[in-house]
Amino acid sequence: MGKNIYVHIPFCERKCPYCDFYSITDRTSSSAYVDALIKEARAFAESGVVFEPNGSDDTLYIGGGTPSSIDAGDIARLVETLREIYSLSSDAEITIEVNPSSLTAGKAAIYKDAGINRVSMGVQSLDDDVLKTLGRLHDSEGARRAIGILQEVFDNISCDLMSGIPGQTLGSLLSGAEELMSRGIKHVSCYSLSLEEGTVFEKKYIDNIEESVPPETEREMYHKVREVLAQGGLLPYEISNSAVPGFESRHNLNYWAGGNYYAFGAAAAGYLQDMRFTHPASVADYIKAADDLTPGRIKEYFDNRTFQSDLIVTTDIMTEEEKMKEYPFLALRTNAGMNTSRFKDMFGKDIHDVFGDAIARNIERGLLVQDGDRIFLTEKGFDLADMVIRDMI
Ligand code: SF4
């Protein structure tokens, strides 16, 4: 029975021009924010609301924002408290996201001592021109230095890369992936740049076709980087993720399997007892809401299933039909795809009785394949994943 916990640390050293995640650059309240996280975690633990069994292992994911941009001592007391109050197992996967510009050897040692055993670093590229375009605070040497620091302490390291960046070439992306592998990195997430609403990049590139990477080049980058990573032993296991077998993100696999997880922190979204819920996207509001929190109020929220508060600002109760529709949306992201037996166990129905026409249509189009219990996207299907998923739901 796994407990899966996400914690959002919404602080960054500087806002990247392409990013629409909730984060702020004023870090003066970061210790008070960690106090609030601990208050929420304690109240939740004492509320008696149980994590439903997931069948997966315990995982804790400290994401952001940039968790490495705040005091490492605050991260350590947060992780140690969560491990203790949720009795996380000794082999729990405990991940922290870091950036090269704020990582130091001292911080890495503190993370390790606190029980963190997996690090995900936002490298994005090992090409200085691309890093400049992205407005990152580190250059390629900074990324190499940070990888070296992590490797002194951790074995389980993931690096993020980005593709489809204006001015980026296929060669630049592939040589970045090859270098990460040659340095012994066992997990790579490669995300295609998307122009998110309200970002500096959206304004700059939305109508700027000359500078943007053409969609066919971006797709070529996507497939080639997966191919190169696979040749190096990092097998694709999700739309954007490749890993040496055994180094997949257990936390994210639970998420894609539709499992439960609690989420603490500003803008954090969780899923428990068929409810999706979100916390306020404001550090100040979150700290204030955590102040008034009691275990009784958390219990009341889960018992009544209609309760809104300063802490839980939206609640969406999933019906059986909505959960069924969400299944392909999450499962088709993974290379394992949908599983007919799991679907039957979850919903008591044959997947073909629910999605039969859409499955047949997309197999016919060469976008899906059924192999025994598994129904999964082909490589061509991954390009058109949104269309296939829309067709299913
Ligand atoms: S460091 Fe990450 S979370 Fe922070 S602004 Fe940049 S991309 Fe967004």
Side-chain angles (χ1 to χ4, degrees), residues 90-266:
S90 55
D91 67 345
E93 177 191 271
I94 304 182
T95 304
I96 187 166
E97 288 182 349
V98 303
N99 271 339
S101 52
S102 52
L103 181 76
T104 62
K107 285 182 180 176
I110 292 171
Y111 298 155
K112 173 85 171 179
D113 285 348
I116 289 169
N117 51 28
R118 181 173 185 272
V119 182
S120 173
M121 184 156 69
V123 169
Q124 318 309 9
S125 175
L126 288 170
D127 178 328
D128 286 333
D129 290 337
V130 172
L131 288 169
K132 221 175 266 169
T133 303
L134 286 173
R136 299 293 291 187
L137 281 168
H138 65 275
D139 59 12
S140 58
E141 273 315 304
R144 291 181 186 104
R145 177 197 59 86
I147 290 171
I149 287 174
L150 289 178
Q151 286 179 322
E152 289 288 318
V153 186
F154 297 100
D155 182 37
N156 197 346
I157 301 166
S158 172
C159 290
D160 289 353
L161 289 176
M162 289 181 69
S163 65
I165 300 143
Q168 183 185 38
T169 62
L170 176 61
S172 146
L173 174 65
L174 297 185
S175 78
E178 273 156 3
E179 183 175 339
L180 291 179
M181 289 189 291
S182 74
R183 288 177 181 268
I185 298 300
K186 299 190 178 80
H187 187 289
V188 172
S189 304
C190 187
Y191 300 105
S192 308
L193 174 71
S194 83
L195 299 179
E196 302 296 345
E197 210 182 316
T199 60
V200 174
F201 263 33
E202 188 213 19
K203 286 188 201 82
K204 190 166 175 190
Y205 294 113
I206 195 89
D207 294 320
N208 188 348
I209 294 171
E210 270 143 49
E211 281 193 60
S212 302
V213 171
E216 57 284 5
T217 310
E218 192 282 318
R219 284 294 83 192
E220 190 187 5
M221 287 179 171
Y222 173 79
H223 290 292
K224 284 276 187 224
V225 79
R226 277 162 72 90
E227 210 178 295
V228 161
L229 289 167
Q231 281 160 4
L234 277 69
L235 308 182
Y237 70 100
E238 194 265 346
I239 285 188
S240 309
N241 288 280
S242 302
V244 169
F247 284 85
E248 298 88 355
S249 162
R250 287 192 262 151
H251 183 83
N252 286 338
L253 282 172
N254 170 61
Y255 170 69
W256 297 316
N260 295 289
Y261 55 97
Y262 200 83
F264 300 115

Side-chain angles (χ1 to χ4, degrees), residues 12 14-16 18-19 21 23 64-66 99 136:
C12 291
R14 187 166 79 189
K15 194 75 194 167
C16 300
Y18 55 89
C19 176
F21 292 152
S23 68
T66 311
N99 271 339
R136 299 293 291 187

